[in-house]
Amino acid sequence: MTATTERIKLVQGDITKCAVDAIVNAANESLLGGGGVDGAIHRAAGPQLLAECRALGDCRTGQAKITQAYSLPAKYVIHTVGPVYHGGAKGEAKLLASCYRQSLELARAHECRTVAFPAISCGVYGYPIADAAQIAIGTIREFLADNGLPERVLLVLFSASDFDAYAAEL
Ligand code: AR6
């Protein structure tokens, strides 16, 4: 499944297979790997990714750091830490928007033309998918309106129901 408007494209699939300039990882503050998309990215990239992450130290919620992508088809991995969802009154929306903005800023600084994002915080961290889709797409649109790079943003949804929630928002 795909859906496109302007410079944003939705795809259902596995982000570790995306041959883009940068893929974004939904990491945790340790940057030392975990389950979900983080585990899949580390497995596909190989052990050098963990070694580079170790040297970076940790990453605060809402912030992002960039590494090489090693055995992945992408050039870079941008690691960002989404908020754990606690009901929505704990600043979650601002932190999630910050993840998208900081990731896009790093992508631009590294001259990435194409970037792929998973649904940050929408797995173990419990963010409601419709609310997260609104923040993701709104923040990306705002950034793209002001910047020529990245040229294209891929939103990679693992499940059909997540894809549908994003498609409704787009
Ligand atoms: N490609 C694209 N999306 C995926 C993939 C994949 N290969 N695998 C899972 N997803 P989660 P979070 C989707 O839990 O909520 C980790 O342990 C998944 O369906 O990976 O930000 C970290 O280390 C969901 O929609 O990330 C942190 O501790 C989305 O990716 C914690 O989980 C995000 O789910 C971060 O939690």
Side-chain angles (χ1 to χ4, degrees):
M1 264 193 292
T2 62
T4 312
T5 63
E6 311 135 42
R7 291 154 67 193
I8 302 175
K9 181 175 182 182
L10 306 187
V11 297
Q12 193 192 339
D14 178 352
I15 202 167
T16 67
K17 309 280 192 251
C18 288
V20 288
D21 291 327
I23 64 168
V24 177
N25 182 17
N28 60 61
E29 289 191 342
S30 78
L31 295 189
L32 298 180
V37 72
D38 192 8
I41 287 172
H42 275 274
R43 273 193 302 279
Q48 286 169 294
L49 180 61
L50 183 58
E52 188 177 353
C53 285
R54 238 185 250 295
L56 285 179
D58 52 12
C59 182
R60 309 263 304 269
T61 301
Q63 300 189 348
K65 292 187 174 180
I66 193 165
T67 65
Q68 302 300 309
Y70 303 101
S71 299
L72 287 160
K75 278 190 218 153
Y76 298 105
V77 180
I78 295 169
H79 306 263
T80 191
V81 183
V84 177
Y85 191 76
H86 289 296
K90 297 262 163 69
E92 292 96 329
K94 271 203 174 131
L95 289 167
L96 187 60
S98 169
C99 288
Y100 283 93
R101 210 174 300 112
Q102 289 210 10
S103 297
L104 289 164
E105 270 160 14
L106 274 177
R108 182 189 56 179
H110 287 76
E111 300 184 339
C112 294
R113 296 172 57 206
T114 51
V115 180
F117 283 92
I120 298 161
S121 285
C122 294
V124 172
Y125 282 0
Y127 216 106
I129 189 77
D131 296 346
Q134 191 179 358
I135 292 164
I137 291 169
T139 307
I140 292 165
R141 276 193 174 134
E142 226 169 75
F143 189 91
L144 295 184
D146 293 340
N147 294 280
L149 282 179
E151 291 169 2
R152 303 286 309 246
V153 174
L154 240 63
L155 300 176
V156 183
L157 291 319
F158 210 43
S159 71
S161 58
D162 287 355
F163 179 92
D164 290 345
Y166 268 64
E169 181 59 33
L170 197 69

